[in-house]
Amino acid sequence: MKKSIAILAILFTIAGQAQVSKVTIQASGLTCSLCSNAINKALKSVPYIDNVTPNIKQSSFEVTFKPGASVHFDDLKKKVEDAGFFVARFTATMQFDNIPVSPDAHVNIGGMMVHFLHVKDKVLSGEQEIQVLDKGYVSAKEFRKNAVFTKMDCYKTGVAGSCCTKSGSTAGTRIYHITI
């Protein structure tokens, strides 16, 4: 019993290193308020979402989460796609606690493996906005443009391969490519 409590405490501490407070999703292909409503309903069906605020003029949705929720970016992207649309831009506001980052480096943040592209060496603390640069989270043109910031195969696939083993990733682990 004591071991279980200690393990849970460690997991919550690790997950607390970077808590996602909100996500802004810009969708493409919206033509009317009915389109916006379809995405709004789809996003609200995710159990860990607290609130969805649509901005029809910018075709975007600000999503906030229930306290302590474990947020999965792929779930949110899939909901937009299931509603019949595409993600044109995906940003997240996260709270960081002294996380060192450097260009073209993998970092485990709260159980989420991320690969920083187009950043300078620094330590992230406090609230920061990140942008997901993976295929399907940006336009195809922007995805190709960002490829110059890495030679690692994981950028093309979104999953860990031999390029990622130095960072402690196992093959097949989902990796999000992000910038600040």
Side-chain angles (χ1 to χ4, degrees), residues 74 77 106 115 117 133-137 143 147 150-164 170-177:
D74 287 340
K77 177 180 165 284
H106 295 85
H115 182 165
L117 301 179
L133 302 174
D134 286 330
K135 189 180 288 184
Y137 287 84
F143 180 77
T150 186
K151 299 290 184 226
M152 296 186 197
D153 288 338
C154 62
Y155 180 65
K156 296 174 194 157
T157 64
V159 295
S162 60
C163 64
C164 310
T170 54
T173 301
R174 176 66 166 106
I175 295 181
Y176 293 98
H177 297 81

PDB file of all heavy atoms in Angstrom, residues 74 77 106 115 117 133-137 143 147 150-164 170-177:
ATOM      1  N   ASP A  74      -3.323  14.321 -29.719  1.00  0.00           N
ATOM      2  CA  ASP A  74      -3.867  13.527 -30.827  1.00  0.00           C
ATOM      3  C   ASP A  74      -5.374  13.317 -30.693  1.00  0.00           C
ATOM      4  O   ASP A  74      -6.085  13.252 -31.698  1.00  0.00           O
ATOM      5  CB  ASP A  74      -3.156  12.185 -30.944  1.00  0.00           C
ATOM      6  CG  ASP A  74      -1.738  12.310 -31.505  1.00  0.00           C
ATOM      7  OD1 ASP A  74      -1.423  13.338 -32.152  1.00  0.00           O
ATOM      8  OD2 ASP A  74      -0.937  11.379 -31.302  1.00  0.00           O
ATOM      9  N   LYS A  77      -6.995  16.552 -32.019  1.00  0.00           N
ATOM     10  CA  LYS A  77      -6.860  16.608 -33.485  1.00  0.00           C
ATOM     11  C   LYS A  77      -7.852  15.641 -34.139  1.00  0.00           C
ATOM     12  O   LYS A  77      -8.530  15.983 -35.106  1.00  0.00           O
ATOM     13  CB  LYS A  77      -5.433  16.258 -33.890  1.00  0.00           C
ATOM     14  CG  LYS A  77      -5.191  16.222 -35.387  1.00  0.00           C
ATOM     15  CD  LYS A  77      -3.723  15.861 -35.639  1.00  0.00           C
ATOM     16  CE  LYS A  77      -3.455  15.449 -37.036  1.00  0.00           C
ATOM     17  NZ  LYS A  77      -3.882  14.113 -37.390  1.00  0.00           N
ATOM     18  N   HIS A 106      15.268  15.944 -27.752  1.00  0.00           N
ATOM     19  CA  HIS A 106      14.087  15.286 -27.194  1.00  0.00           C
ATOM     20  C   HIS A 106      14.068  15.506 -25.682  1.00  0.00           C
ATOM     21  O   HIS A 106      15.107  15.428 -25.032  1.00  0.00           O
ATOM     22  CB  HIS A 106      14.149  13.779 -27.452  1.00  0.00           C
ATOM     23  CG  HIS A 106      14.081  13.413 -28.886  1.00  0.00           C
ATOM     24  ND1 HIS A 106      15.181  13.393 -29.702  1.00  0.00           N
ATOM     25  CD2 HIS A 106      13.041  13.056 -29.661  1.00  0.00           C
ATOM     26  CE1 HIS A 106      14.831  13.025 -30.917  1.00  0.00           C
ATOM     27  NE2 HIS A 106      13.530  12.812 -30.920  1.00  0.00           N
ATOM     28  N   HIS A 115      10.029  16.929 -29.004  1.00  0.00           N
ATOM     29  CA  HIS A 115      11.262  17.181 -29.757  1.00  0.00           C
ATOM     30  C   HIS A 115      11.218  18.657 -30.122  1.00  0.00           C
ATOM     31  O   HIS A 115      10.353  19.078 -30.882  1.00  0.00           O
ATOM     32  CB  HIS A 115      11.267  16.282 -30.991  1.00  0.00           C
ATOM     33  CG  HIS A 115      12.477  16.390 -31.837  1.00  0.00           C
ATOM     34  ND1 HIS A 115      12.779  15.452 -32.795  1.00  0.00           N
ATOM     35  CD2 HIS A 115      13.470  17.302 -31.926  1.00  0.00           C
ATOM     36  CE1 HIS A 115      13.890  15.782 -33.426  1.00  0.00           C
ATOM     37  NE2 HIS A 115      14.323  16.920 -32.914  1.00  0.00           N
ATOM     38  N   LEU A 117      12.170  21.975 -31.932  1.00  0.00           N
ATOM     39  CA  LEU A 117      12.715  22.439 -33.204  1.00  0.00           C
ATOM     40  C   LEU A 117      12.757  23.966 -33.191  1.00  0.00           C
ATOM     41  O   LEU A 117      11.848  24.612 -32.664  1.00  0.00           O
ATOM     42  CB  LEU A 117      11.850  21.977 -34.378  1.00  0.00           C
ATOM     43  CG  LEU A 117      11.650  20.478 -34.556  1.00  0.00           C
ATOM     44  CD1 LEU A 117      10.747  20.213 -35.744  1.00  0.00           C
ATOM     45  CD2 LEU A 117      12.975  19.759 -34.731  1.00  0.00           C
ATOM     46  N   LEU A 133       4.277  21.153 -34.369  1.00  0.00           N
ATOM     47  CA  LEU A 133       4.696  21.276 -35.762  1.00  0.00           C
ATOM     48  C   LEU A 133       4.535  19.990 -36.564  1.00  0.00           C
ATOM     49  O   LEU A 133       4.971  19.912 -37.707  1.00  0.00           O
ATOM     50  CB  LEU A 133       6.173  21.712 -35.819  1.00  0.00           C
ATOM     51  CG  LEU A 133       6.500  23.024 -35.112  1.00  0.00           C
ATOM     52  CD1 LEU A 133       7.998  23.266 -35.123  1.00  0.00           C
ATOM     53  CD2 LEU A 133       5.750  24.176 -35.737  1.00  0.00           C
ATOM     54  N   ASP A 134       3.931  18.977 -35.978  1.00  0.00           N
ATOM     55  CA  ASP A 134       3.780  17.687 -36.645  1.00  0.00           C
ATOM     56  C   ASP A 134       2.849  17.758 -37.842  1.00  0.00           C
ATOM     57  O   ASP A 134       2.008  18.661 -37.950  1.00  0.00           O
ATOM     58  CB  ASP A 134       3.241  16.638 -35.660  1.00  0.00           C
ATOM     59  CG  ASP A 134       4.283  16.194 -34.664  1.00  0.00           C
ATOM     60  OD1 ASP A 134       5.476  16.204 -34.998  1.00  0.00           O
ATOM     61  OD2 ASP A 134       3.887  15.826 -33.545  1.00  0.00           O
ATOM     62  N   LYS A 135       2.988  16.749 -38.707  1.00  0.00           N
ATOM     63  CA  LYS A 135       2.103  16.612 -39.863  1.00  0.00           C
ATOM     64  C   LYS A 135       0.664  16.520 -39.355  1.00  0.00           C
ATOM     65  O   LYS A 135       0.366  15.794 -38.409  1.00  0.00           O
ATOM     66  CB  LYS A 135       2.461  15.337 -40.633  1.00  0.00           C
ATOM     67  CG  LYS A 135       1.761  15.194 -41.973  1.00  0.00           C
ATOM     68  CD  LYS A 135       2.167  13.912 -42.669  1.00  0.00           C
ATOM     69  CE  LYS A 135       3.596  14.047 -43.164  1.00  0.00           C
ATOM     70  NZ  LYS A 135       4.045  12.897 -43.941  1.00  0.00           N
ATOM     71  N   GLY A 136      -0.214  17.293 -39.967  1.00  0.00           N
ATOM     72  CA  GLY A 136      -1.606  17.314 -39.537  1.00  0.00           C
ATOM     73  C   GLY A 136      -1.903  18.371 -38.492  1.00  0.00           C
ATOM     74  O   GLY A 136      -3.057  18.612 -38.162  1.00  0.00           O
ATOM     75  N   TYR A 137      -0.862  19.008 -37.950  1.00  0.00           N
ATOM     76  CA  TYR A 137      -1.036  20.083 -36.968  1.00  0.00           C
ATOM     77  C   TYR A 137      -0.681  21.444 -37.562  1.00  0.00           C
ATOM     78  O   TYR A 137      -0.910  22.469 -36.945  1.00  0.00           O
ATOM     79  CB  TYR A 137      -0.164  19.839 -35.735  1.00  0.00           C
ATOM     80  CG  TYR A 137      -0.665  18.724 -34.857  1.00  0.00           C
ATOM     81  CD1 TYR A 137      -0.357  17.398 -35.121  1.00  0.00           C
ATOM     82  CD2 TYR A 137      -1.456  19.004 -33.751  1.00  0.00           C
ATOM     83  CE1 TYR A 137      -0.811  16.380 -34.309  1.00  0.00           C
ATOM     84  CE2 TYR A 137      -1.917  17.995 -32.933  1.00  0.00           C
ATOM     85  CZ  TYR A 137      -1.595  16.679 -33.214  1.00  0.00           C
ATOM     86  OH  TYR A 137      -2.057  15.668 -32.406  1.00  0.00           O
ATOM     87  N   PHE A 143       4.942  22.279 -42.711  1.00  0.00           N
ATOM     88  CA  PHE A 143       5.592  21.036 -42.292  1.00  0.00           C
ATOM     89  C   PHE A 143       6.907  20.850 -43.051  1.00  0.00           C
ATOM     90  O   PHE A 143       7.935  20.539 -42.458  1.00  0.00           O
ATOM     91  CB  PHE A 143       4.644  19.844 -42.520  1.00  0.00           C
ATOM     92  CG  PHE A 143       5.231  18.528 -42.106  1.00  0.00           C
ATOM     93  CD1 PHE A 143       5.298  18.187 -40.762  1.00  0.00           C
ATOM     94  CD2 PHE A 143       5.716  17.644 -43.041  1.00  0.00           C
ATOM     95  CE1 PHE A 143       5.848  16.970 -40.364  1.00  0.00           C
ATOM     96  CE2 PHE A 143       6.257  16.428 -42.667  1.00  0.00           C
ATOM     97  CZ  PHE A 143       6.323  16.088 -41.318  1.00  0.00           C
ATOM     98  N   ALA A 147      11.118  21.103 -41.674  1.00  0.00           N
ATOM     99  CA  ALA A 147      11.992  19.927 -41.788  1.00  0.00           C
ATOM    100  C   ALA A 147      13.466  20.310 -41.792  1.00  0.00           C
ATOM    101  O   ALA A 147      14.313  19.478 -41.447  1.00  0.00           O
ATOM    102  CB  ALA A 147      11.648  19.131 -43.042  1.00  0.00           C
ATOM    103  N   THR A 150      15.727  19.758 -38.458  1.00  0.00           N
ATOM    104  CA  THR A 150      16.143  18.449 -37.942  1.00  0.00           C
ATOM    105  C   THR A 150      16.476  17.511 -39.091  1.00  0.00           C
ATOM    106  O   THR A 150      15.933  17.641 -40.185  1.00  0.00           O
ATOM    107  CB  THR A 150      15.049  17.813 -37.049  1.00  0.00           C
ATOM    108  OG1 THR A 150      15.571  16.607 -36.477  1.00  0.00           O
ATOM    109  CG2 THR A 150      13.779  17.516 -37.823  1.00  0.00           C
ATOM    110  N   LYS A 151      17.357  16.565 -38.809  1.00  0.00           N
ATOM    111  CA  LYS A 151      17.659  15.490 -39.766  1.00  0.00           C
ATOM    112  C   LYS A 151      17.124  14.153 -39.246  1.00  0.00           C
ATOM    113  O   LYS A 151      17.320  13.119 -39.853  1.00  0.00           O
ATOM    114  CB  LYS A 151      19.174  15.381 -39.978  1.00  0.00           C
ATOM    115  CG  LYS A 151      19.810  16.627 -40.551  1.00  0.00           C
ATOM    116  CD  LYS A 151      19.413  16.833 -41.986  1.00  0.00           C
ATOM    117  CE  LYS A 151      20.138  18.026 -42.566  1.00  0.00           C
ATOM    118  NZ  LYS A 151      19.294  18.910 -43.302  1.00  0.00           N
ATOM    119  N   MET A 152      16.432  14.189 -38.109  1.00  0.00           N
ATOM    120  CA  MET A 152      15.942  12.964 -37.477  1.00  0.00           C
ATOM    121  C   MET A 152      14.666  12.470 -38.153  1.00  0.00           C
ATOM    122  O   MET A 152      13.790  13.258 -38.489  1.00  0.00           O
ATOM    123  CB  MET A 152      15.707  13.202 -35.990  1.00  0.00           C
ATOM    124  CG  MET A 152      16.974  13.525 -35.234  1.00  0.00           C
ATOM    125  SD  MET A 152      16.631  13.622 -33.473  1.00  0.00           S
ATOM    126  CE  MET A 152      18.083  14.479 -32.901  1.00  0.00           C
ATOM    127  N   ASP A 153      14.590  11.151 -38.312  1.00  0.00           N
ATOM    128  CA  ASP A 153      13.433  10.524 -38.960  1.00  0.00           C
ATOM    129  C   ASP A 153      12.135  10.691 -38.179  1.00  0.00           C
ATOM    130  O   ASP A 153      11.047  10.642 -38.758  1.00  0.00           O
ATOM    131  CB  ASP A 153      13.692   9.039 -39.187  1.00  0.00           C
ATOM    132  CG  ASP A 153      14.702   8.790 -40.293  1.00  0.00           C
ATOM    133  OD1 ASP A 153      14.887   9.686 -41.141  1.00  0.00           O
ATOM    134  OD2 ASP A 153      15.302   7.695 -40.297  1.00  0.00           O
ATOM    135  N   CYS A 154      12.231  10.885 -36.868  1.00  0.00           N
ATOM    136  CA  CYS A 154      11.009  10.973 -36.061  1.00  0.00           C
ATOM    137  C   CYS A 154      10.137  12.155 -36.479  1.00  0.00           C
ATOM    138  O   CYS A 154       8.932  12.132 -36.272  1.00  0.00           O
ATOM    139  CB  CYS A 154      11.333  11.024 -34.574  1.00  0.00           C
ATOM    140  SG  CYS A 154      12.296  12.460 -34.049  1.00  0.00           S
ATOM    141  N   TYR A 155      10.722  13.176 -37.092  1.00  0.00           N
ATOM    142  CA  TYR A 155       9.905  14.310 -37.544  1.00  0.00           C
ATOM    143  C   TYR A 155       8.948  13.877 -38.650  1.00  0.00           C
ATOM    144  O   TYR A 155       7.812  14.313 -38.692  1.00  0.00           O
ATOM    145  CB  TYR A 155      10.784  15.474 -38.028  1.00  0.00           C
ATOM    146  CG  TYR A 155       9.985  16.664 -38.497  1.00  0.00           C
ATOM    147  CD1 TYR A 155       9.191  17.390 -37.605  1.00  0.00           C
ATOM    148  CD2 TYR A 155       9.986  17.066 -39.813  1.00  0.00           C
ATOM    149  CE1 TYR A 155       8.435  18.470 -38.017  1.00  0.00           C
ATOM    150  CE2 TYR A 155       9.237  18.160 -40.241  1.00  0.00           C
ATOM    151  CZ  TYR A 155       8.464  18.849 -39.339  1.00  0.00           C
ATOM    152  OH  TYR A 155       7.714  19.926 -39.755  1.00  0.00           O
ATOM    153  N   LYS A 156       9.405  13.005 -39.522  1.00  0.00           N
ATOM    154  CA  LYS A 156       8.560  12.542 -40.629  1.00  0.00           C
ATOM    155  C   LYS A 156       7.453  11.600 -40.155  1.00  0.00           C
ATOM    156  O   LYS A 156       6.361  11.594 -40.691  1.00  0.00           O
ATOM    157  CB  LYS A 156       9.411  11.828 -41.669  1.00  0.00           C
ATOM    158  CG  LYS A 156      10.420  12.713 -42.348  1.00  0.00           C
ATOM    159  CD  LYS A 156      11.321  11.899 -43.242  1.00  0.00           C
ATOM    160  CE  LYS A 156      12.531  12.716 -43.654  1.00  0.00           C
ATOM    161  NZ  LYS A 156      13.644  11.900 -44.045  1.00  0.00           N
ATOM    162  N   THR A 157       7.765  10.790 -39.138  1.00  0.00           N
ATOM    163  CA  THR A 157       6.830   9.746 -38.720  1.00  0.00           C
ATOM    164  C   THR A 157       6.008  10.100 -37.483  1.00  0.00           C
ATOM    165  O   THR A 157       4.927   9.548 -37.285  1.00  0.00           O
ATOM    166  CB  THR A 157       7.597   8.443 -38.411  1.00  0.00           C
ATOM    167  OG1 THR A 157       8.476   8.678 -37.300  1.00  0.00           O
ATOM    168  CG2 THR A 157       8.384   7.973 -39.618  1.00  0.00           C
ATOM    169  N   GLY A 158       6.543  10.955 -36.606  1.00  0.00           N
ATOM    170  CA  GLY A 158       5.860  11.278 -35.359  1.00  0.00           C
ATOM    171  C   GLY A 158       6.050  10.242 -34.271  1.00  0.00           C
ATOM    172  O   GLY A 158       5.466  10.347 -33.197  1.00  0.00           O
ATOM    173  N   VAL A 159       6.882   9.236 -34.533  1.00  0.00           N
ATOM    174  CA  VAL A 159       7.163   8.207 -33.522  1.00  0.00           C
ATOM    175  C   VAL A 159       8.665   8.010 -33.380  1.00  0.00           C
ATOM    176  O   VAL A 159       9.437   8.246 -34.314  1.00  0.00           O
ATOM    177  CB  VAL A 159       6.483   6.857 -33.843  1.00  0.00           C
ATOM    178  CG1 VAL A 159       4.974   6.962 -33.803  1.00  0.00           C
ATOM    179  CG2 VAL A 159       6.937   6.311 -35.173  1.00  0.00           C
ATOM    180  N   ALA A 160       9.065   7.579 -32.196  1.00  0.00           N
ATOM    181  CA  ALA A 160      10.480   7.374 -31.903  1.00  0.00           C
ATOM    182  C   ALA A 160      11.059   6.261 -32.761  1.00  0.00           C
ATOM    183  O   ALA A 160      10.424   5.248 -32.992  1.00  0.00           O
ATOM    184  CB  ALA A 160      10.667   7.047 -30.425  1.00  0.00           C
ATOM    185  N   GLY A 161      12.251   6.504 -33.211  1.00  0.00           N
ATOM    186  CA  GLY A 161      13.006   5.504 -33.959  1.00  0.00           C
ATOM    187  C   GLY A 161      14.409   5.441 -33.387  1.00  0.00           C
ATOM    188  O   GLY A 161      14.645   5.827 -32.241  1.00  0.00           O
ATOM    189  N   SER A 162      15.349   5.001 -34.191  1.00  0.00           N
ATOM    190  CA  SER A 162      16.724   4.884 -33.714  1.00  0.00           C
ATOM    191  C   SER A 162      17.317   6.240 -33.351  1.00  0.00           C
ATOM    192  O   SER A 162      18.219   6.327 -32.527  1.00  0.00           O
ATOM    193  CB  SER A 162      17.584   4.190 -34.768  1.00  0.00           C
ATOM    194  OG  SER A 162      17.582   4.947 -35.968  1.00  0.00           O
ATOM    195  N   CYS A 163      16.795   7.325 -33.918  1.00  0.00           N
ATOM    196  CA  CYS A 163      17.293   8.676 -33.621  1.00  0.00           C
ATOM    197  C   CYS A 163      16.982   9.101 -32.192  1.00  0.00           C
ATOM    198  O   CYS A 163      17.590  10.019 -31.666  1.00  0.00           O
ATOM    199  CB  CYS A 163      16.704   9.690 -34.596  1.00  0.00           C
ATOM    200  SG  CYS A 163      14.908   9.890 -34.480  1.00  0.00           S
ATOM    201  N   CYS A 164      16.061   8.433 -31.572  1.00  0.00           N
ATOM    202  CA  CYS A 164      15.528   8.907 -30.303  1.00  0.00           C
ATOM    203  C   CYS A 164      15.982   8.099 -29.086  1.00  0.00           C
ATOM    204  O   CYS A 164      15.625   8.430 -27.958  1.00  0.00           O
ATOM    205  CB  CYS A 164      14.003   8.883 -30.352  1.00  0.00           C
ATOM    206  SG  CYS A 164      13.328   9.677 -31.822  1.00  0.00           S
ATOM    207  N   THR A 170      11.605   4.733 -26.320  1.00  0.00           N
ATOM    208  CA  THR A 170      11.598   3.408 -26.914  1.00  0.00           C
ATOM    209  C   THR A 170      10.958   3.505 -28.288  1.00  0.00           C
ATOM    210  O   THR A 170      10.110   4.374 -28.522  1.00  0.00           O
ATOM    211  CB  THR A 170      10.819   2.406 -26.030  1.00  0.00           C
ATOM    212  OG1 THR A 170       9.518   2.927 -25.783  1.00  0.00           O
ATOM    213  CG2 THR A 170      11.526   2.175 -24.711  1.00  0.00           C
ATOM    214  N   ALA A 171      11.366   2.641 -29.176  1.00  0.00           N
ATOM    215  CA  ALA A 171      10.842   2.664 -30.543  1.00  0.00           C
ATOM    216  C   ALA A 171       9.322   2.605 -30.521  1.00  0.00           C
ATOM    217  O   ALA A 171       8.722   1.846 -29.775  1.00  0.00           O
ATOM    218  CB  ALA A 171      11.408   1.503 -31.342  1.00  0.00           C
ATOM    219  N   GLY A 172       8.704   3.451 -31.329  1.00  0.00           N
ATOM    220  CA  GLY A 172       7.249   3.479 -31.440  1.00  0.00           C
ATOM    221  C   GLY A 172       6.562   4.471 -30.519  1.00  0.00           C
ATOM    222  O   GLY A 172       5.359   4.678 -30.631  1.00  0.00           O
ATOM    223  N   THR A 173       7.300   5.101 -29.593  1.00  0.00           N
ATOM    224  CA  THR A 173       6.715   6.098 -28.694  1.00  0.00           C
ATOM    225  C   THR A 173       6.302   7.333 -29.494  1.00  0.00           C
ATOM    226  O   THR A 173       7.044   7.795 -30.349  1.00  0.00           O
ATOM    227  CB  THR A 173       7.748   6.525 -27.622  1.00  0.00           C
ATOM    228  OG1 THR A 173       8.153   5.387 -26.878  1.00  0.00           O
ATOM    229  CG2 THR A 173       7.170   7.573 -26.679  1.00  0.00           C
ATOM    230  N   ARG A 174       5.139   7.889 -29.213  1.00  0.00           N
ATOM    231  CA  ARG A 174       4.666   9.106 -29.883  1.00  0.00           C
ATOM    232  C   ARG A 174       5.551  10.269 -29.464  1.00  0.00           C
ATOM    233  O   ARG A 174       5.783  10.481 -28.279  1.00  0.00           O
ATOM    234  CB  ARG A 174       3.207   9.372 -29.518  1.00  0.00           C
ATOM    235  CG  ARG A 174       2.640  10.682 -30.083  1.00  0.00           C
ATOM    236  CD  ARG A 174       2.566  10.618 -31.603  1.00  0.00           C
ATOM    237  NE  ARG A 174       1.742  11.677 -32.140  1.00  0.00           N
ATOM    238  CZ  ARG A 174       2.233  12.757 -32.767  1.00  0.00           C
ATOM    239  NH1 ARG A 174       3.537  12.913 -32.922  1.00  0.00           N
ATOM    240  NH2 ARG A 174       1.412  13.659 -33.258  1.00  0.00           N
ATOM    241  N   ILE A 175       6.026  11.041 -30.427  1.00  0.00           N
ATOM    242  CA  ILE A 175       6.833  12.219 -30.170  1.00  0.00           C
ATOM    243  C   ILE A 175       6.171  13.413 -30.837  1.00  0.00           C
ATOM    244  O   ILE A 175       5.866  13.365 -32.022  1.00  0.00           O
ATOM    245  CB  ILE A 175       8.270  12.047 -30.704  1.00  0.00           C
ATOM    246  CG1 ILE A 175       8.966  10.927 -29.943  1.00  0.00           C
ATOM    247  CG2 ILE A 175       9.052  13.342 -30.591  1.00  0.00           C
ATOM    248  CD1 ILE A 175      10.385  10.675 -30.368  1.00  0.00           C
ATOM    249  N   TYR A 176       5.946  14.474 -30.061  1.00  0.00           N
ATOM    250  CA  TYR A 176       5.408  15.704 -30.600  1.00  0.00           C
ATOM    251  C   TYR A 176       6.557  16.647 -30.903  1.00  0.00           C
ATOM    252  O   TYR A 176       7.425  16.872 -30.061  1.00  0.00           O
ATOM    253  CB  TYR A 176       4.441  16.376 -29.615  1.00  0.00           C
ATOM    254  CG  TYR A 176       3.188  15.591 -29.408  1.00  0.00           C
ATOM    255  CD1 TYR A 176       3.044  14.752 -28.309  1.00  0.00           C
ATOM    256  CD2 TYR A 176       2.139  15.674 -30.316  1.00  0.00           C
ATOM    257  CE1 TYR A 176       1.883  14.028 -28.120  1.00  0.00           C
ATOM    258  CE2 TYR A 176       0.970  14.951 -30.124  1.00  0.00           C
ATOM    259  CZ  TYR A 176       0.854  14.116 -29.029  1.00  0.00           C
ATOM    260  OH  TYR A 176      -0.294  13.402 -28.845  1.00  0.00           O
ATOM    261  N   HIS A 177       6.584  17.200 -32.088  1.00  0.00           N
ATOM    262  CA  HIS A 177       7.605  18.152 -32.500  1.00  0.00           C
ATOM    263  C   HIS A 177       7.047  19.539 -32.259  1.00  0.00           C
ATOM    264  O   HIS A 177       5.981  19.869 -32.809  1.00  0.00           O
ATOM    265  CB  HIS A 177       8.007  17.896 -33.941  1.00  0.00           C
ATOM    266  CG  HIS A 177       8.615  16.536 -34.081  1.00  0.00           C
ATOM    267  ND1 HIS A 177       7.845  15.403 -34.192  1.00  0.00           N
ATOM    268  CD2 HIS A 177       9.907  16.150 -34.067  1.00  0.00           C
ATOM    269  CE1 HIS A 177       8.653  14.353 -34.248  1.00  0.00           C
ATOM    270  NE2 HIS A 177       9.894  14.783 -34.168  1.00  0.00           N
TER     271      HIS A 177
END
